[in-house]
Amino acid sequence: MSQPNTNSKNASFDDNAIPSLLIKDASTNETVAVTNGSGSPSTTPSGSASVPLAKYNATPTTRTEGQFGVLQADTLGNLKETLGTTIAGEDIPNDVLKVEMRNNGTYISTATTTVVKTGAGLLHTIVVQGGTTGTIIGYDNTAASGTILFSFDTTVALATYTFDIAFSNGLTVVTSAATKVTISAR
């Protein structure tokens, strides 16, 4: 049943390891699945009972539990594969896996306490855009207490501070003056 491999595209394919339900088609020299003509496996090959390993069907077949069937191919003979479910992190409406950084911006322009985000997240940047000189303090909390993530004095000059630090409980920012800042976090 095994024959030497003469197909250069499959030079690394070991024909001696072909299971008993696969044979070489005599006319095309392709490896084929042996069936009884209705898609079920057969141990006795008989000419037209052999079908290609991957078959094009305009409408893919539906199988029931325990039923065998050939692999599906597209019109060019490429094997069709799907995950069946989406991967976490996908932009499902647009069918795209997003890998770019997506942050939300929060603008503050007064002396205030602002809860920027509740729950775990990442503080990317703080951009100072002017206003009154003051102090900016950030907490890993949903209140102005607890673990301090950052604390610095600002000038009214434009400056960007990059942090890229994670927080667990939330992000609360306290500004001591009317400093104009944008917090970029997710």
Side-chain angles (χ1 to χ4, degrees), residues 126-134 136 152-161 178-182:
I126 296 177
V127 180
V128 178
Q129 297 144 323
T132 307
T133 301
I136 302 174
F152 60 94
D153 295 328
T154 67
T155 64
V156 291
L158 179 64
T160 299
Y161 301 89
T179 308
K180 296 176 183 176
V181 298
T182 298

Side-chain angles (χ1 to χ4, degrees), residues 1 5 21 59 61 81 84 94 105 108 110 139 141 145-146 161 169 175 178:
M1 183 159 331
N5 184 5
L21 296 179
T59 304
T61 58
E81 297 180 51
N94 296 314
I108 304 169
T110 61
Y139 296 92
N141 203 344
S145 62
Y161 301 89
N169 304 310
T175 51

